[in-house]
């Protein structure tokens, strides 16, 4: 079955009791049992809920994963993956990643004895040197947030396997429509469902998918034991949003390209980070592993100051100045003071995240209006 058909049908069946075509919101915390342990597959809504099960099956199908689990946020999904590790285990991660993930790694999990290295994985030779006998997991974000670097998933997976480590890919920026890490050999795929999958900026949720039954069993155990599950109402909203994921993504990609090309030609703009440009350093890898280049991009101003960036952001009218991404509406953000403020400045600058860097989540409005808005704000 192809992607659009799966987005609309996978995991969903008319409700057996009423024939309702759309999966109902099973707003219940518990389920009746005929005799202790004798039930219809549902006991208690932290453990399973039919609305959540339908969504989990749908998202697993979109990622070509056998198993999928939903969580109360993207970070709760990440948290569940880290809970499969033990003190002394080592993790190698991309050096450019969502600030909240960095904060969870360094401020929460380092104190429980996990060890992290943050390296530039666009350079595979640096990765070779980073492995130790204790390396258990390689964490990739690609495209990276916010510098739009592209990591070669197949190459990293191959190296991780040689060292007995598993590879996890945070696939949030690409969405399952543009990139499927499990098909490229990754052991685990993770999403902030909050973003493109939900698509309407009205839900916070996370997802973990895998083909490995042992990993899924661990993640399922943690999902139930720690309990960071999403409610049925949110699962319903995501089931509704995901049905148009393929249609929305095509428009995000188209608009992203129009905006990227406009910014590249603008006098006030120093650099535009968008993997669709021929001269993007990782363009060839993006072409190899992604179906298209997405609607996320960042740009730096010629006058590299926070105040200049703030004045551009304050003038935008169609783009909303806000955290987050992946919704139908266009958003703009200032990573240094917003999404990535928890990363020390020197570390940010080393990766190119300068004070004037502006990140755009290009929505699905008419691109002419988006370009006119940027033109006005930059002039
Ligand atoms: O916000 P939450 O659903 O918990 O997801 C966290 C997360 C994980 N991975 C990536 C790549 C992300 O971008 C995020 C959340 N990011 C933002 C809120 C942001 O504006 O970048």
């Amino acid at each position: 079955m192809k992607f659009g058909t799966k987005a609309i049908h996978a995991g969903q069946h008319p409700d057996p009791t009423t024939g309702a075509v759309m999966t109902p919101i099973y707003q219940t915390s518990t389920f009746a049992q005929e005799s202790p342990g004798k039930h219809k597959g549902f006991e208690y809504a932290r453990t399973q809920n039919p609305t959540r099960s339908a969504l989990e099956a749908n998202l697993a199908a979109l990622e070509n994963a056998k198993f999928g689990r939903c969580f109360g946020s993207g970070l709760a999904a990440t948290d569940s993956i880290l809970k499969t590790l033990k003190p002394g285990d080592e993790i190698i991660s991309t050096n450019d990643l969502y600030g909240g993930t960095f904060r969870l790694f360094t401020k929460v999990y380092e104190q429980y004895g996990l060890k992290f290295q943050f390296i530039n994985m666009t350079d595979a030779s640096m990765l070779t040197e980073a492995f130790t006998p204790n390396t258990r997991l390689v964490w990739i974000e690609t495209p990276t947030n916010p510098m739009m670097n592209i990591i070669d998933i197949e190459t990293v997976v191959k190296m991780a396997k040689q060292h007995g480590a598993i590879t996890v890919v945070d696939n949030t920026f690409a969405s399952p429509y543009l990139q499927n890490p499990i098909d490229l050999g990754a052991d685990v795929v993770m999403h902030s469902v909050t973003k493109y999958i939900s698509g309407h900026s009205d839900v916070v949720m996370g997802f973990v998918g895998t083909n490995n039954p042992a990993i899924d069993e661990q993640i399922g155990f943690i999902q139930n034991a720690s309990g960071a599950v999403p409610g049925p109402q949110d699962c319903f909203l995501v089931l509704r949003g995901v049905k148009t994921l393929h249609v929305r993504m095509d428009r995000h990609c188209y608009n992203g390209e129009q905006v990227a090309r406009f910014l590249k030609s603008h006098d006030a703009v120093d650099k535009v980070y968008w993997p669709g440009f021929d001269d993007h350093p990782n363009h060839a890898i993006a072409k190899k592993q992604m179906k298209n280049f997405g609607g996320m991009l960042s740009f730096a101003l010629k006058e590299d100051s926070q105040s200049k960036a703030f004045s551009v952001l304050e003038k935008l009218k169609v783009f909303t100045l806000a955290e987050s991404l992946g919704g139908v509406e266009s958003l703009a953000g200032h990573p240094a003071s917003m999404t990535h403020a928890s990363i020390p400045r020197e570390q940010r600058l080393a990766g190119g995240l300068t004070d004037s860097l502006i990140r755009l989540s290009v929505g699905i409005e008419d691109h002419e209006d988006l370009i006119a808005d940027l033109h006005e704000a930059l002039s």
Side-chain angles (χ1 to χ4, degrees):
M1 217 184 263
K2 293 180 87 173
F3 192 93
T5 314
K6 285 197 284 189
I8 292 166
H9 294 288
Q12 291 163 79
H13 315 280
D15 181 51
T17 52
T18 63
V21 172
M22 291 302 141
T23 306
I25 303 167
Y26 286 91
Q27 193 74 47
T28 181
S29 61
T30 191
F31 302 84
Q33 308 195 12
E34 270 174 57
S35 171
K38 202 172 165 202
H39 51 74
K40 297 182 167 61
F42 298 94
E43 293 153 273
Y44 183 61
R46 171 164 32 77
T47 320
Q48 324 96 344
N49 175 287
T51 320
R52 192 177 93 212
S53 301
L55 177 62
E56 290 175 336
N58 181 275
L59 299 186
L62 296 187
E63 280 292 9
N64 299 326
K66 287 198 183 95
F67 311 101
R69 308 266 177 187
C70 286
F71 290 85
S73 69
L75 281 177
T78 301
D79 185 73
S80 78
I81 297 166
L82 292 182
K83 279 181 176 149
T84 64
L85 301 173
K86 296 195 174 52
D89 287 351
E90 295 184 12
I91 298 97
I92 306 172
S93 167
T94 35
N95 62 345
D96 174 34
L97 79 167
Y98 171 55
T101 308
F102 179 81
R103 182 178 55 202
L104 179 66
F105 286 178
T106 55
K107 295 276 174 11
V108 178
Y109 277 99
E110 270 182 0
Q111 66 175 350
Y112 293 124
L114 297 186
K115 296 200 177 104
F116 296 88
Q117 286 181 73
F118 298 93
I119 64 165
N120 174 5
M121 285 192 207
T122 59
D123 178 356
S125 67
M126 287 196 59
L127 187 59
T128 316
E129 288 163 24
F131 284 102
T132 78
N134 295 328
T135 306
R136 295 282 171 270
L137 191 149
V138 179
W139 186 277
I140 310 178
E141 199 179 283
T142 182
T144 61
N145 181 359
M147 298 311 299
M148 305 302 298
N149 292 313
I150 306 291
I151 317 295
D152 188 335
I153 297 173
E154 277 178 316
T155 301
V156 174
V157 164
K158 216 160 122 193
M159 292 169 94
K161 280 204 162 78
Q162 280 165 4
H163 291 86
I166 66 160
T167 306
V168 180
V169 178
D170 180 339
N171 203 27
T172 300
F173 265 39
S175 88
Y177 181 61
L178 298 183
Q179 179 171 277
N180 294 120
I182 301 256
D183 292 349
L184 300 169
D187 300 279
V188 177
V189 58
M190 172 264 150
H191 279 279
S192 169
V193 173
T194 316
K195 311 298 181 325
Y196 286 108
I197 292 176
S198 158
H200 296 74
S201 304
D202 49 10
V203 169
V204 173
M205 197 187 290
F207 172 77
V208 178
T210 182
N211 270 346
N212 182 323
I215 294 177
D216 178 64
E217 201 180 318
Q218 276 183 301
I219 297 288
F221 175 80
I222 291 160
Q223 185 190 40
N224 184 47
S226 294
V229 293
Q233 186 105 22
D234 282 355
C235 292
F236 173 85
L237 283 172
V238 176
L239 276 169
R240 181 180 164 132
V242 79
K243 289 183 202 300
T244 54
L245 179 61
H246 50 305
V247 184
R248 287 186 279 110
M249 288 313 297
D250 281 341
R251 182 67 172 254
H252 281 295
C253 291
Y254 177 78
N255 282 1
E257 176 165 3
Q258 307 312 308
V259 169
R261 294 199 185 285
F262 162 76
L263 288 170
K264 203 172 189 185
S265 67
H266 199 285
D267 281 349
V269 174
D270 182 31
K271 278 192 190 139
V272 183
Y273 301 91
W274 179 67
F277 287 131
D278 290 346
D279 60 357
H280 182 288
N282 320 125
H283 177 68
I285 304 165
K287 248 178 123 167
K288 182 182 76 163
Q289 69 188 20
M290 296 174 75
K291 192 173 168 196
N292 204 336
F293 305 109
M296 292 302 298
L297 60 95
S298 296
F299 65 100
L301 300 173
K302 281 212 175 110
E303 190 184 323
D304 183 33
S305 75
Q306 175 169 298
S307 60
K308 187 73 195 168
F310 278 20
S311 92
V312 171
L313 288 163
E314 285 160 11
K315 282 187 202 136
L316 290 167
K317 292 194 175 74
V318 182
F319 280 85
T320 303
L321 172 59
E323 305 233 355
S324 204
L325 58 112
V328 289
E329 72 295 331
S330 292
L331 299 180
H334 183 249
S337 67
M338 294 168 69
T339 46
H340 293 70
S342 53
I343 300 178
R345 184 163 185 270
E346 269 160 43
Q347 209 166 325
R348 272 195 270 116
L349 291 176
L353 202 170
T354 55
D355 294 335
S356 75
L357 192 86
I358 292 175
R359 190 189 75 181
L360 299 181
S361 168
V362 181
I364 63 169
E365 302 94 335
D366 292 298
H367 71 271
E368 295 89 342
D369 293 324
L370 301 177
I371 288 172
D373 195 31
L374 287 163
H375 176 74
E376 190 65 25
L378 284 166
S379 59

